[in-house]
Amino acid sequence: METPIIEQLYSDQWKSAVGLCYDSLERQDWKHVKLFNSWDDVQKQIRKTQDDPLQQTKHQDFVILTHSLFQLRIFLDCFSQHLVPKDDTSVFWGMIARDEESARSRIPRMLRDVCHQIEILNGYCSNTQSSTLQIKEAYLETGLELLSFLSETVKFLRSDTVCSTPTIRTPRFFDRKDVIRKIEHHFNQVDTSTSFRSLALYGLGGVGKSSVALKFAEAKIQNRELDAMFWVYSEKLVTIRQSFTDIAMRLKLPDARPGDHDENHSLVLSWLQHTYCRWLIVFDNVDSIDLLRTHWPPANRGQALITTRSHAFAFELADRGLEITTWDNETGSRFLLHLLSTEISADLQDNDIGSAHELSQKLSGHALAICHMAGLIHRRRWSITEFTEIYNQHPSEMHGVSGNSSINALWDFAFRSLDPQCRTILGILSFVAPDSIPQSLFELANTTDLPESLVFCSDSLR
């Protein structure tokens, strides 16, 4: 093929890549990119941060990039000389100088590695007098890779930290600070930007393992210690596959499609293995080691948390385990008072405090059981003492489930407080995955075939 034809193909390929890059940017990203069209524009931004005492941190981030930006300028000058006009490379400077606080703190670390490869190419081409097709091809391939890298970085940083978050929240998280410190200590023992670290949180169902994991993740995000956090519902194969698909779509990975779980699974594991981002993945409520093993990241950096009822995960897959125990009576009673803090007066009676201790003891300091108990007290507008008296006055009802288990009795008492329609809905929900259940499941277009127990679902006011 003749040289002019090949050069035209190179030019067309580059123009197409730039066009796709602009199409992939959101309007806000595009506006930022268009503000910086050259190395001179970036230098002006650097001088502006240097002269402003309130932007010294930003200026330091730019200083870190000095050598990389210099190599990039040389590369783009040669790129324009060998392939395309200078205007067609302005997109690089716009994406690098994108004015986002979250971006500056992370781009230097990732860009330095890329510009190291550019420096090698610059050195080679500086010793070559002629502009051969091989050199032009090398410049094109490097330019396309750099454009893709910067484009994906801008999209990745668009929403600050990329999160695939659970439906649970921790607005009234209580205690467990010692557990959080132990988790932090475990992950801080090594540099997780260069090493992979994992931990299994195990304990009885309902003691708060998921809440602890989420609280740890939230703190890391708030402290800007993570670029990405992912939550994987790991009870069954169907939930874990859907979680990986949600992650792939959230990351906007190439070739990710909503229904292609196998491909999305491979894409996510590949991303975790090759990305420079600081990430944490939480495998929540894991039961099967074999199932988790097929979805375990083959990475050499990053962090993974497991929540499970089985202590076996502390010896397989995870580096170590940390047991989440029930509370002692004192802490359990304080948790109950904490949950009811908006319903009870500040000056509690001695008998209320004593009743809180008694209930905590009966429920063995079990977090979920105490939460349910607080809900009953709130809905019935009882005092703690009144609830304790009812609890103690009806032993045949309160202790008639599975022997004399106080916790099982509490579940039974809570279920009996529901009206028939709520019981029906709960019975249906027991057949589906517990997280992110769509309301549309009960919004039927045709209600003529509903059984009598579900006719109330046709009432839009309910």
Side-chain angles (χ1 to χ4, degrees):
M1 188 179 294
E2 296 180 1
T3 299
I5 297 177
I6 296 177
E7 290 178 342
Q8 184 60 47
L9 289 175
Y10 287 166
S11 179
D12 292 342
Q13 187 176 357
W14 174 251
K15 291 178 181 178
S16 175
V18 172
L20 291 174
C21 174
Y22 277 117
D23 290 341
S24 70
L25 298 178
E26 292 186 353
R27 179 175 298 180
Q28 183 179 7
D29 298 325
W30 187 85
K31 288 181 178 178
H32 282 301
V33 168
K34 296 298 289 184
L35 290 175
F36 303 89
N37 296 311
S38 66
W39 166 240
D40 291 336
D41 291 335
V42 175
Q43 283 185 307
K44 292 177 183 178
Q45 179 69 8
I46 295 175
R47 286 194 293 269
K48 185 186 298 185
T49 60
Q50 182 181 15
D51 298 333
D52 188 345
L54 298 179
Q55 300 191 65
Q56 289 305 301
T57 300
K58 298 179 183 179
H59 178 69
Q60 291 172 5
D61 291 331
F62 274 124
V63 170
I64 294 175
L65 275 174
T66 299
H67 182 71
S68 296
L69 293 177
F70 177 75
Q71 293 298 326
L72 182 60
R73 189 193 67 171
I74 296 175
F75 169 79
L76 292 181
D77 288 341
C78 294
F79 188 93
S80 300
Q81 176 185 345
H82 291 289
L83 286 173
V84 297
K86 186 170 294 187
D87 289 344
D88 287 345
T89 62
S90 60
V91 63
F92 286 114
W93 300 115
M95 287 192 288
I96 288 175
R98 179 176 175 264
D99 189 17
E100 283 286 338
E101 183 73 11
S102 60
R104 284 199 202 91
S105 64
R106 283 167 260 179
I107 281 183
R109 172 168 43 85
M110 296 183 284
L111 190 60
R112 283 198 303 261
D113 289 338
V114 176
C115 286
H116 175 68
Q117 302 300 321
I118 289 176
E119 184 176 2
I120 296 174
L121 178 61
N122 289 340
Y124 173 78
C125 293
S126 65
N127 296 322
T128 304
Q129 300 300 322
S130 59
S131 178
T132 64
L133 284 178
Q134 288 79 4
I135 290 178
K136 292 183 178 182
E137 183 178 4
Y139 271 109
L140 177 64
E141 290 179 355
T142 304
L144 291 173
E145 287 295 327
L146 181 59
L147 181 64
S148 176
F149 166 78
L150 292 173
S151 176
E152 290 301 317
T153 300
V154 168
K155 289 187 290 183
F156 184 78
L157 297 170
R158 181 182 299 140
S159 301
D160 197 10
T161 304
V162 174
C163 295
S164 174
T165 55
T167 54
I168 62 172
R169 290 293 182 267
T170 61
R172 307 192 76 176
F173 187 80
F174 180 77
D175 197 60
R176 304 296 192 189
K177 292 182 179 179
D178 59 327
V179 176
I180 297 294
R181 282 194 295 268
K182 290 178 181 178
I183 298 174
E184 291 176 344
H185 175 72
H186 172 75
F187 285 114
N188 289 338
Q189 286 180 332
V190 299
D191 182 1
T192 51
S193 65
T194 58
S195 301
F196 178 68
R197 195 78 166 154
S198 58
L199 179 67
L201 305 180
Y202 64 92
L204 294 174
V207 296
K209 302 181 295 295
S210 298
S211 295
V212 168
L214 180 57
K215 188 65 176 180
F216 170 75
E218 288 176 344
K220 300 281 281 185
I221 293 171
Q222 291 170 2
N223 294 333
R224 296 190 179 277
E225 297 176 16
L226 290 176
D227 301 323
M229 191 281 282
F230 309 114
W231 195 274
V232 179
Y233 299 105
S234 308
E235 300 92 343
K236 300 177 180 179
L237 177 60
V238 63
T239 59
I240 199 170
R241 282 161 61 87
Q242 183 60 53
S243 294
F244 269 71
T245 288
D246 293 341
I247 293 170
M249 301 305 296
R250 182 68 183 86
L251 288 171
K252 298 181 174 63
L253 298 179
D255 300 324
R257 292 182 292 273
D260 195 345
H261 297 308
D262 291 334
E263 178 66 15
N264 295 334
H265 165 253
S266 299
L267 290 173
V268 171
L269 290 183
S270 177
W271 186 89
L272 293 174
Q273 183 177 12
H274 296 103
T275 183
Y276 286 98
C277 295
R278 300 167 299 175
W279 55 266
L280 166 68
I281 187 168
V282 179
F283 294 95
D284 185 44
N285 199 20
V286 183
D287 287 327
S288 169
I289 290 179
D290 292 335
L291 176 60
L292 181 58
R293 185 176 285 112
T294 60
H295 295 81
W296 193 248
N300 55 10
R301 62 174 64 87
Q303 304 171 68
L305 263 179
I306 301 170
T307 71
T308 179
R309 287 174 291 182
S310 172
H311 70 280
F313 287 89
F315 306 98
E316 293 194 50
L317 293 181
D319 296 327
R320 56 161 294 197
L322 178 62
E323 183 178 9
I324 309 299
T325 61
T326 56
W327 282 311
D328 57 33
N329 293 340
E330 173 65 25
T331 306
S333 64
R334 287 193 291 110
F335 179 51
L336 174 61
L337 299 177
H338 168 74
L339 293 174
L340 297 173
S341 58
T342 59
E343 279 76 39
I344 58 180
S345 61
D347 50 343
L348 287 171
Q349 300 295 321
D350 290 341
N351 56 346
D352 279 328
I353 296 177
S355 297
H357 276 271
E358 181 180 352
L359 288 174
S360 176
Q361 182 178 14
K362 288 181 179 294
L363 298 177
S364 305
H366 191 277
L368 184 59
I370 295 174
C371 283
H372 278 284
M373 181 172 57
L376 286 172
I377 294 172
H378 169 72
R379 288 196 301 272
R380 299 297 183 89
R381 299 184 182 278
W382 287 328
S383 68
I384 300 175
T385 301
E386 288 172 337
F387 179 82
T388 305
E389 290 175 352
I390 295 172
Y391 191 96
N392 291 330
Q393 287 173 4
H394 300 277
S396 59
E397 295 182 11
M398 300 301 293
H399 296 283
V401 182
S402 299
N404 289 324
S405 168
S406 297
I407 293 179
N408 284 329
L410 178 65
W411 303 149
D412 184 58
F413 192 59
F415 294 148
R416 293 185 189 186
S417 69
L418 300 176
D419 61 44
Q421 293 173 354
C422 290
R423 293 183 192 177
T424 301
I425 293 293
L426 187 62
I428 295 173
L429 297 182
S430 66
F431 286 95
V432 299
D435 301 292
S436 303
I437 300 174
Q439 183 177 334
S440 58
L441 186 65
F442 300 94
E443 297 174 344
L444 305 178
N446 184 4
T447 60
T448 57
D449 295 330
L450 285 175
E452 184 178 352
S453 60
L454 290 176
V455 171
F456 69 92
C457 289
S458 63
D459 188 347
S460 58
L461 297 178
R462 292 185 180 272

